[in-house]
Amino acid sequence: MSDLRFIDLQAWIARTLGTDAQILLISGDASFRRYFRVTHFGDNQSLSYIVMDSPPQLIDVVPFISLANEYHHHGILAPQVINQNPEQGFLLLSDLGDTQLLSVLNQDNVSDYYQQALQLLNTIANITTSACEPLPIYDDEFVLRELGIFTEWLLQHHLGLAITDAEQHMLKQVFQLLVDNVADQPKVGMHRDYHSRNLMLCDDQLAVIDFQDSVLGPITYDAVSLLRDCYVRWPADKVEALMQVHYQQMQQIGLLSPTVSINQYRRWFDLTGLQRHLKAAGIFCRLNYRDAKPGYMKDIPLTLRYVRDVAQGYDELIEFANWLDTKVIVPMESIS
């Protein structure tokens, strides 16, 4: 590896840890960040760290630093910032290992692990500031901007779909329904990408990563992100039971009024999931075409099937569900 950022990163690590440090690329993520594992010998033992490389002109590391501190302050296991160079976009972090929760989940243990993950949301929901400033608000404009990613990158760029006036009208109505659904819900601290690849298993304890895009948003968002994961699908009865666990938790800690029925909560949960999955499908296409990261394309069919299947349960979304199936899902599956 000989790119200029890596040369600068090597120099920074040498100044921070010493010239004996060994650097190994472990991953990029669904952004412009890269992660490296760094090992060196110190205090009579081999020590391991993670280094984040985040080009500052593209992604500022300051929100990550602030939120990492907030998570630690609230007792959540998360990467600890050991050293930092915000000007260059380099962070030295504690090493939480390589075991993503997704890699260990099965039908027998998923309910137990997901209940642990839902329990963490009690704390995350109460993290509403970063560096003493309120988190950004997940408002109507924010939601519409995300839904626009689906239209631009999946419908137009990937499928080349010519959308008729009638279809544009239908999509506008659906998008407004989803915007209103977000607006109707209580607002809590929201991780915004809470799923089995962003939860690490460290000595049987769950750790949370990739929290830097946290916002104040709808109470169901993180729960549906976890339970209707874009990367794995669990039986509907398990999802329903776990959704009810979250509903009860939110009432018990006072973030959800006891007057909110389980049916109202379920509708919020379902429609919030539709908004997230439409956005995610669009982002997966954008990663492929704009960022040359094709690996997420294989996750689009599952993501869109969630949308279709849930939409079929709501009278006002039946037309959209049928359109999505014939105009989007079938062509997507034929392409893949």
Side-chain angles (χ1 to χ4, degrees):
M1 186 177 299
S2 60
D3 62 88
L4 293 178
R5 282 200 61 80
F6 183 67
I7 293 170
D8 290 341
L9 182 142
Q10 283 181 304
W12 180 70
I13 291 173
R15 294 193 301 271
T16 304
L17 296 176
T19 57
D20 66 325
Q22 303 296 309
I23 308 170
L24 177 67
L25 177 67
I26 54 174
S27 77
D29 65 8
S31 71
F32 298 100
R33 291 180 292 264
R34 295 186 297 183
Y35 294 90
F36 300 84
R37 176 165 281 115
V38 177
T39 55
H40 83 118
F41 196 78
D43 298 330
N44 296 317
Q45 60 181 324
S46 179
L47 302 175
S48 178
Y49 305 94
I50 299 298
V51 170
M52 178 195 294
D53 168 19
S54 180
Q57 71 276 17
L58 298 174
I59 306 176
D60 185 5
V61 297
V62 171
F64 182 95
I65 296 168
S66 299
L67 281 159
N69 292 335
E70 288 288 339
Y71 273 50
H72 277 280
H73 177 72
H74 285 80
I76 294 176
L77 183 59
Q80 182 177 357
V81 180
I82 297 167
N83 209 319
Q84 56 185 275
N85 185 333
E87 294 76 21
Q88 288 186 290
F90 300 144
L91 297 180
L92 184 69
L93 308 172
S94 56
D95 190 347
L96 299 175
D98 295 312
T99 308
Q100 292 178 335
L101 180 59
L102 178 62
S103 69
V104 303
L105 290 176
N106 57 49
Q107 292 284 353
D108 296 327
N109 65 23
V110 63
S111 292
D112 288 340
Y113 276 127
Y114 274 16
Q115 286 187 64
Q116 292 179 46
L118 290 172
Q119 192 68 33
L120 287 177
L121 290 182
N122 290 355
T123 303
I124 291 171
N126 281 298
I127 299 175
T128 58
T129 61
S130 174
C132 300
E133 295 291 331
L135 293 177
I137 297 176
Y138 197 67
D139 58 14
D140 294 4
E141 183 181 353
F142 205 138
V143 176
L144 280 172
R145 186 165 62 247
E146 290 193 335
L147 288 167
I149 298 170
F150 168 77
T151 303
E152 177 182 358
W153 288 95
L154 195 152
L155 298 185
Q156 297 174 348
H157 200 98
H158 182 62
L159 292 178
L161 198 61
I163 304 173
T164 67
D165 289 345
E167 289 169 338
Q168 288 179 345
H169 179 70
M170 177 194 64
L171 287 173
K172 184 177 180 180
Q173 287 185 313
V174 170
F175 288 0
Q176 190 59 52
L177 178 69
L178 300 181
V179 167
D180 293 342
N181 177 68
V182 166
D184 286 345
Q185 298 177 54
K187 300 301 182 289
V188 300
M190 190 176 103
H191 179 285
R192 198 167 153 231
D193 204 16
Y194 196 73
H195 55 73
S196 61
R197 287 183 177 175
N198 283 337
L199 293 167
M200 308 297 291
L201 193 59
C202 305
D203 298 324
D204 291 327
Q205 184 178 357
L206 291 183
V208 183
I209 64 172
D210 208 16
F211 42 72
Q212 63 280 337
D213 295 322
S214 293
V215 295
L216 284 176
I219 196 168
T220 61
Y221 192 101
D222 284 341
V224 74
S225 174
L226 175 74
L227 301 181
R228 291 194 177 132
D229 194 323
C230 292
Y231 309 114
V232 61
R233 186 166 184 169
W234 302 103
D237 60 338
K238 287 186 183 290
V239 173
E240 171 69 18
L242 289 162
M243 181 270 294
Q244 293 196 29
V245 167
H246 187 251
Y247 166 75
Q248 292 162 3
Q249 285 179 191
M250 292 297 101
Q251 289 192 328
Q252 288 166 1
I253 66 174
L255 292 178
L256 186 65
S257 168
T259 63
V260 175
S261 69
I262 185 61
N263 288 335
Q264 175 63 75
Y265 179 88
R266 184 183 293 107
R267 178 184 172 87
W268 284 345
F269 180 91
D270 284 346
L271 298 188
T272 300
L274 293 192
Q275 187 271 333
R276 172 174 168 79
H277 289 129
L278 289 171
K279 176 202 73 170
I283 286 177
F284 292 159
C285 284
R286 188 175 70 183
L287 285 166
N288 178 48
Y289 291 105
R290 190 191 70 181
D291 304 332
K293 295 180 179 180
Y296 295 90
M297 294 296 289
K298 66 182 183 301
D299 300 308
I300 294 176
L302 169 59
T303 304
L304 292 178
R305 285 196 293 270
Y306 274 131
V307 177
R308 177 198 62 198
D309 295 349
V310 171
Q312 286 174 339
Y314 290 88
D315 290 344
E316 62 267 52
L317 291 171
I318 287 289
E319 179 187 3
F320 172 66
N322 293 336
W323 172 84
L324 187 74
D325 196 38
T326 57
K327 291 294 188 73
V328 181
I329 294 177
V330 171
M332 282 290 306
E333 292 179 345
S334 66
I335 291 173
S336 60

